[in-house]
Each structure stands twice: as C-alpha cells, then as structure tokens.
Amino acid sequence: MPRNSDVATSRLLSKLLAVIVTLVLITTLYLAKTVVLPLALALLLSFVLAPLVTGLERIRIPRIVAIPIVLLTKQLSDLSSEFADSHEIIGETELGSSPAHPVSVQEVRGSQGRLDAMSGLLGVVISIVLVAVFTFFLLLKREDLRNRLIQLSGHGRLNLMTQAMDDASHRVSRYLTLQWLVNIGFGLIIFVVLHLMRLPHALLFAVLAGLLRFIPYIGAPIGALLPTALSVGVFNGWTKTLLILAIFFCMEIVTANLLEPHVYGKHTGLSSLAILVAAIFWALIWGPIGLILSVPLTVCLVVVGAHVPNLQFLTVLLGDQPVMPPEAHYYQRLLANDQREASQVLETHLKSSSLEDLFDTVLIPALNLAEQDRHRNELDDATVTFITQTTKDLVDELSLRRDDSSATDVAAERSGHEKIMCLPVRDDADEIVGIMLAQLLERAGYSVTAIPIGSVERMLAEVAGADPEVVCLSALPPYAISHARGIYRRLRAQQSMARIIIGLWNYTEDPVKAAAEISGGEQNLICTTLAQMTLQAGLASGTSLKMVPSSIQ
C-alpha cells in the first residue's frame, strides 16, 4: 500500500501541475489573442446566427448559400447603421459650423500619424476578416466540429460530453436571446423619454444605448454621455440635462440589479460576484471585447465544471448554486455559535418544504455530521452542548409555529386511544430525533411520549409504567447500532406484547440485515426516515389500516 507521504506528494504535484496548466492557458490567451479573440467572437456569432441559418435551410436553401446570406445581411445592417450615424454627425457638424468662426486645423507629425492609422485600420480589417471566416466555417461545419469534440472526450464519455455541449449551447443561446430582448427594451424606453423631451436624434442615442449595454458595466455610462453632452448645448438650464442623467442612472440600476439577475440567473447559472470577476478577468486579457465575451465564456466554464468532476471547483466558485447543502450550512453555523443564521437556514428551507421534510433532510443529517465529529474527538463539550441544546430549542419552536387547528382536532379525537413511546438509544442526538418523531405523530393525531435520554434502567422503567402499544427506537447510526441491540433485547423481554419499530436514521446500508442484527433474527420493521416511521407507527398502533410486517427501504 502507498505510504501517506507518497499520497501527499502525489496530491501536491497534481495541484502544482494544475496551477502550471492554468498559468500557461492564461498566458496563451493573452499572447495569442490576435487569433484566439476572433475565434471566440466567431463562436459567439455562431450561437446567434445558427438559428437563422437553420431557418433558411428549412426552406430548401443550401447551407453554403444560407451562411453568406446571413453574414451579408448582418454586415449590411451594421454598415447602414454606421452610415446613418456618420451622416447625422456630419449634419450636426455642418449646422454647427459657421464661416464667421473658421476652425483652425494643424497637423502634427502627419506621416507618422497616417502610418499609425493605417496600421490600426489594417489590424481591425484583419480581425473582421478572421471573425467572418471563422464564423463561416463554424456554421458550415458545426456538426463535424461537434463530433470531433465528442471524439476527443473518448467513447466512454459520449453521454457526458453530449450533455455538456447541449447544456452550454442552451445556456449561451438563452442568455444572448434574453440580452437582446432586455437591451431592446432598454433602448425603447430611452427613445420614448428622449423623444418626449424633444432631444434631437433621440432614435440614434436610443440605438447606441441599447447596443452599448452589450458591454457590461461601462457600456451604459458611455451610452449616457452623448445625449447628456448634446442636451447641454440644446436646452437652456440644467434641468433637462440632469433629468437625462437621472433617467439613465435609474434605468441602469433597475435593469442591472433587479431585472437582469432575475432574468439571467436561472438561465446562465452564474453568481453576481462571478459575473463581476469574470468581466474584470476577460477585460484584462482581451480589452473591451473581453467584456462582451465575459459572460458566455464564463458560462461555458461553469458547464464544464458541472460535468467534469476534476473541474467541479469552477462550478463552486462561479456558479449560483448554494455552496453548501442546507444540512452542512446549518451545522457550520452551529459550529460558529451563530444560532440566528442557523435558524434562518431552517426557515428558508421550510418555505418550500414540509416540517417532516425539514427534519429528514436537514436536521437529522446535521446531527449525523455532529455525531461523526464528536466521535473523532473534534468537538469539545461546550460545542456539543450548544449544538444539541440549540437544535432542541429550534425543533420546539418550529413545531409550535407550524402547528395547525386540523392536527389539534384530530389529536383531541384520538387522545388516549393509542400509546406510542419514542425511546432514544444512546445519546442526546437520538433524543432530539425522538422529539421530532413525537411531534410529527402528535400532528397526525396520536398520543405520543418522547422519553428523555437517561440511564437504560430509568428509560425502561418509564416504558414499563406506560405499557405502550408501540415503542419506536431512535438510533442515529453508525455508533448507536450496538446500543440498539442491547436495549432491544431488554425491551423485548420486558414488553413481550408491544410492537417495536427500529429507527436507523439516514441508514445507507442494508436495513433488513441491520434489523436482524439488532433484533436477533426477529421479523421487525426498520425505518430510515421520519416519514416512514410516522406511517408505520400509526399502522402498528391499533388502527384499522393493515400492518405491514416487513422492512422499509
């Protein structure tokens, strides 16, 4: 067997390798952005244009013809909008210029400036051509590219890769569609407001505001600058100028903080902090274009993390899912002596579930976590006392607040007819689960007594004095099973006519085998959840329903 030191060294080397690979990838993305950036833009455009190409294919237009039609249509649309913008700007310049006020123009280092301009223009042209070429071939060979990516994953992971690709495609497509709709709505509201204020070129500014919102965080402020600057020269006073700024500010606050998180959240799976961090990261690597691509690229990372176990940390860091399950969150807050937030965890879960489900899926697993840590000597006595007492208090509080008149009426009708006792097997955790069970049975209308933890002799004497029809043993595995065996045998010798039901809460192994081990081979019911125990205790208590003498799994 490998030694602990070898295992630790192997883990350290794996982490070091992961860090090196990440740094190499980031460096490659930055240094090779001339090629990688157009490819990323082409992938984004292919998500947007693929439905249009598919629509043309459905009307019998070949794909190789449909793709140029879509690309040319988009380019003509962009050029026409740019021409209109330029025309309006020129018109403004001509109207604003006057022969009485000639403009003095001085050229400084003209030849070098032209070379720089030509160089910059050439780079833009090359980038546009690369984006167009990549988009064309991505749309033309999208099935072939998909099959190649699936083949790289290996035949044993076909289902995993297919699910990941479908998930990423659907999330990005939904995000882009929703972003278009939100930005169109934003632009329409801006147009109506500016038009009512009689600001010239209201349509132009509204279109720019909607388009610039595709650039996270900085797009909207830039879109507000032009109409604000024009309003200074058009209107008298500062009232309308300040009103335009206020409108843009309020619109952006409402859209970015209320509308978009609600609309985008469930479709992208990103947390708000992840969106901000991703925007900063991609902007540092690729500049303004990185801002536009930040959300789609981060969505792809979250999807990869959700489907590849070794990359699950990406989903934990960037996703919008709870970092910890409710039971772990509740237990962690108790470890921090934070009763208020622990109570909030229960309240939040209770809003969408029943009290029975809260006990079974949150409180019992949390108590199991505490039991495991206690038996590993990781908890001191004060912490154990705080956890058990706080949980007991919260259970009592939740039961009182969730009580209803119908359960009370049923209990009044049945009181005194059925006698059920909940007997803890080993410690306070077993007692708390017994209290939960007693509360659920009382809400179902049965007469129940939850025996507090104490010496075995005292607890058995209390059972003997009550002479119940049903005794429910409460045992939180794995440490309570051996104690359950001893208590069961003494209880059976004392209460030969009572029906004994064994509760092994959240037991994950074979319950039939465990029941046989505890009862010495007798045919006994064993339940692993409070829902099962509530049902079977009611059946065994003498009601008209048929008793089921078999193990519940």
Side-chain angles (χ1 to χ4, degrees):
M1 295 180 63
R3 293 177 300 177
N4 292 335
S5 59
D6 295 336
V7 174
T9 303
S10 176
R11 290 178 179 176
L12 180 62
L13 291 176
S14 298
K15 293 179 180 179
L16 181 61
L17 179 61
V19 171
I20 294 174
V21 170
T22 301
L23 292 176
V24 170
L25 285 175
I26 294 174
T27 304
T28 303
L29 290 174
Y30 178 75
L31 297 178
K33 61 182 178 182
T34 304
V35 176
V36 178
L37 185 55
L39 180 58
L41 280 171
L43 284 170
L44 185 62
L45 284 175
S46 66
F47 279 114
V48 177
L49 301 179
L52 300 177
V53 174
T54 302
L56 292 177
E57 286 184 293
R58 288 175 179 173
I59 59 175
R60 307 299 181 104
I61 297 179
R63 178 178 297 185
I64 198 168
V65 178
I67 294 174
I69 292 176
V70 172
L71 290 175
L72 288 174
T73 302
K74 178 173 173 42
Q75 291 299 322
L76 289 174
S77 174
D78 294 343
L79 287 174
S80 63
S81 62
E82 291 176 6
F83 176 77
D85 297 347
S86 302
H87 179 71
E88 294 190 17
I89 293 173
I90 291 172
E92 292 174 14
T93 305
E94 291 176 350
L95 291 174
S97 302
S98 171
H101 299 83
V103 178
S104 176
V105 180
Q106 182 178 1
E107 182 177 357
V108 180
R109 296 196 309 181
S111 59
Q112 183 64 35
R114 292 192 192 96
L115 289 176
D116 292 341
M118 289 295 293
S119 176
L121 180 62
L122 182 61
V124 172
V125 171
I126 292 175
S127 297
I128 293 174
V129 171
L130 286 176
V131 171
V133 171
F134 283 146
T135 304
F136 178 84
F137 282 101
L138 286 174
L139 291 171
L140 183 64
K141 298 290 186 181
R142 60 179 185 268
E143 290 87 358
D144 180 69
L145 178 61
R146 177 199 63 201
N147 295 337
R148 291 178 184 275
L149 290 175
I150 292 176
Q151 180 67 24
L152 284 175
S153 67
H155 294 291
R157 298 183 178 179
L158 292 179
N159 182 48
L160 178 66
M161 192 64 180
T162 301
Q163 290 180 356
M165 294 182 66
D166 288 343
D167 192 7
S169 175
H170 291 158
R171 288 198 198 190
V172 173
S173 297
R174 286 196 301 264
Y175 166 73
L176 293 175
T177 301
L178 291 171
Q179 192 176 34
W180 271 108
L181 294 175
V182 169
N183 290 349
I184 288 173
F186 185 92
L188 286 175
I189 295 175
I190 294 297
F191 168 71
V192 171
V193 172
L194 296 182
H195 180 71
L196 293 176
M197 294 178 65
R198 299 188 181 280
L199 183 72
H201 314 298
L203 179 61
L204 168 64
F205 295 134
V207 172
L208 287 176
L211 291 176
L212 286 170
R213 283 208 79 258
F214 282 96
I215 305 177
Y217 303 107
I218 66 173
I222 294 175
L225 289 178
L226 293 177
T228 302
L230 180 60
S231 68
V232 174
V234 171
F235 301 125
N236 294 324
W238 292 93
T239 303
K240 291 189 175 181
T241 299
L242 294 176
L243 182 59
I244 291 174
L245 280 175
I247 289 169
F248 268 92
F249 177 78
C250 293
M251 282 287 297
E252 181 61 20
I253 290 295
V254 172
T255 304
N257 295 282
L258 298 178
L259 180 60
E260 287 183 333
H262 177 72
V263 174
Y264 297 161
K266 61 182 179 181
H267 296 291
T268 61
L270 297 180
S271 66
S272 55
L273 179 61
I275 293 175
L276 175 61
V277 173
I280 296 173
F281 173 78
W282 293 109
L284 289 175
I285 294 181
W286 288 344
I289 303 299
L291 282 175
I292 299 175
L293 295 172
S294 61
V295 172
L297 290 175
T298 310
V299 166
C300 294
L301 291 178
V302 170
V303 171
V304 170
H307 292 86
V308 180
N310 291 336
L311 300 177
Q312 191 176 8
F313 70 92
L314 293 173
T315 302
V316 174
L317 292 176
L318 304 174
D320 62 346
Q321 298 299 315
V323 178
M324 291 189 294
E327 66 273 15
H329 190 188
Y330 172 79
Y331 176 52
Q332 190 274 331
R333 296 324 301 160
L334 291 184
L335 290 175
N337 290 334
D338 188 348
Q339 181 176 352
R340 182 188 61 84
E341 190 171 341
S343 177
Q344 289 178 352
V345 173
L346 302 185
E347 292 285 355
T348 301
H349 189 83
L350 199 56
K351 291 178 181 178
S352 58
S353 62
S354 65
L355 186 64
E356 183 180 74
D357 180 73
L358 176 70
F359 288 163
D360 272 330
T361 62
V362 179
L363 284 177
I364 292 179
L367 289 173
N368 187 267
L369 292 174
E371 283 292 286
Q372 293 177 18
D373 286 348
R374 185 170 71 88
H375 284 274
R376 288 195 294 260
N377 295 321
E378 295 179 1
L379 301 178
D380 55 41
D381 293 339
T383 302
V384 173
T385 301
F386 177 80
I387 292 172
T388 54
Q389 188 59 48
T390 300
T391 302
K392 190 180 298 184
D393 293 341
L394 291 175
V395 167
D396 292 337
E397 180 183 347
L398 288 171
S399 178
L400 290 174
R401 282 192 289 170
R402 296 285 292 185
D403 197 10
D404 53 31
S405 59
S406 61
T408 304
D409 293 339
V410 175
E413 294 177 4
R414 292 185 175 178
S415 179
H417 293 287
E418 297 92 8
K419 295 181 180 179
I420 304 175
M421 301 197 77
C422 303
L423 179 64
V425 165
R426 188 175 187 274
D427 54 22
D428 291 326
D430 300 331
E431 177 189 348
I432 293 174
V433 182
I435 294 173
M436 298 179 198
L437 175 60
Q439 291 178 355
L440 294 177
L441 288 170
E442 286 176 353
R443 290 170 59 83
Y446 298 100
S447 176
V448 189
T449 300
I451 300 176
I453 192 68
S455 65
V456 176
E457 288 74 14
R458 185 192 63 78
M459 293 190 297
L460 290 178
E462 189 169 347
V463 173
D467 192 22
E469 298 177 6
V470 181
V471 178
C472 301
L473 294 183
S474 174
L476 197 62
Y479 306 104
I481 293 180
S482 60
H483 288 75
R485 185 187 307 114
I487 289 183
Y488 176 88
R489 292 174 181 175
R490 294 181 63 176
L491 183 63
R492 172 55 68 205
Q494 173 183 296
Q495 304 290 130
S496 60
M497 300 302 296
R499 184 65 170 166
I500 302 176
I501 308 177
I502 304 167
L504 288 180
W505 315 120
N506 278 11
Y507 191 66
T508 56
E509 299 181 20
D510 185 2
V512 177
K513 182 179 179 181
E517 180 181 352
I518 293 172
S519 63
E522 293 183 13
Q523 183 71 15
N524 276 88
L525 285 170
I526 182 167
C527 301
T528 59
T529 66
L530 290 177
Q532 295 172 355
M533 180 67 89
T534 303
L535 174 62
Q536 295 305 317
L539 292 175
S541 63
T543 62
S544 58
L545 294 175
K546 184 179 179 180
M547 188 167 56
V548 183
S550 61
S551 296
I552 303 172
Q553 301 185 38

